[in-house]
Amino acid sequence: LHDSFPIFSHYLQTQRRRGQYEKAVEFALEALNKAGRAHAGMVQAQAHGNLANYYLYLGNIGGASEHLQQAIQLFEAVDARADLMIDLNLLGIVDDADGDVSGATRSYERAYQIGVELDRKADAALYAANESLAFIKDKQWSHAATWNRKASDLDRQADGKPTAPYIARNQARIAAGQGNMNEAVQWCHALLLDSQKNQILRWEAYE
């Protein structure tokens, strides 16, 4: 089964590129059933993670959350920390989309801690920025600022500073939320210069 899993993954990626998410879900369920019969914990966890991604694309937040929680339990059981980190961050995104701020921040913080322990600075910076954004949405400005500083500190140590535009976005929103509009405008200008290829972030800066 472990040898065949790359074939499953390739098929799933192909269906996703084609926009055929229902077929991808059907195939991922088949992979999950086979993994369960073979008692292959790592493969089961990966299949749950794939299903979570496809349910999320289909707008099924509850289904995505359920599969992510199962994936996380399985990754914990086999001590697959890098995979665990990724799915914890995704669970944070799902909880955030569902309006569960406390759930989102718990997941982001765990992902961040694992990223730091694994010396994955770019990943940890992104998870800290996600944590900051969750607090921004909940108008917890002090917590948001603290986590954005953590993201910035790590991002400066990462190759290429990949999280810098998201940190700038967060800083602009924190400044605006605290009534510092001049500072917010300065951060928005910086964001426009630093997000040439990210249209979503550019749109946020204009807003």
Side-chain angles (χ1 to χ4, degrees), residues 66-101:
E66 179 182 342
H67 282 289
L68 278 169
Q69 290 178 44
Q70 292 184 69
I72 286 166
Q73 289 178 358
L74 289 162
F75 283 136
E76 286 175 329
V78 298
D79 198 29
R81 299 175 73 207
D83 295 284
L84 173 61
M85 174 187 72
I86 292 167
D87 275 5
L88 280 167
N89 178 62
L90 186 54
L91 181 60
I93 293 170
V94 168
D95 285 339
D96 196 2
D98 203 30
D100 182 2
V101 174

Side-chain angles (χ1 to χ4, degrees), residues 58-137:
L58 291 168
N60 185 339
I61 299 296
S65 178
E66 179 182 342
H67 282 289
L68 278 169
Q69 290 178 44
Q70 292 184 69
I72 286 166
Q73 289 178 358
L74 289 162
F75 283 136
E76 286 175 329
V78 298
D79 198 29
R81 299 175 73 207
D83 295 284
L84 173 61
M85 174 187 72
I86 292 167
D87 275 5
L88 280 167
N89 178 62
L90 186 54
L91 181 60
I93 293 170
V94 168
D95 285 339
D96 196 2
D98 203 30
D100 182 2
V101 174
S102 62
T105 54
R106 280 196 305 271
S107 295
Y108 288 142
E109 184 169 358
R110 284 191 65 196
Y112 162 82
Q113 289 170 344
I114 294 171
V116 170
E117 290 165 5
L118 296 178
D119 199 29
R120 300 269 292 264
K121 291 183 176 63
D123 292 318
L126 177 61
Y127 306 149
N130 286 348
E131 177 94 341
S132 176
L133 183 59
F135 281 125
I136 287 168
K137 292 178 180 177

Side-chain angles (χ1 to χ4, degrees), residues 20-70:
Q20 296 178 349
Y21 297 113
E22 291 85 356
K23 287 186 178 180
V25 167
E26 181 181 342
F27 206 76
L29 285 168
E30 180 184 344
L32 180 59
N33 289 334
K34 288 185 177 182
R37 290 196 298 271
H39 304 289
M42 187 69 178
V43 178
Q44 279 183 285
Q46 290 169 332
H48 277 299
N50 279 328
L51 279 164
N53 274 288
Y54 297 124
Y55 278 125
L56 190 56
Y57 282 118
L58 291 168
N60 185 339
I61 299 296
S65 178
E66 179 182 342
H67 282 289
L68 278 169
Q69 290 178 44
Q70 292 184 69

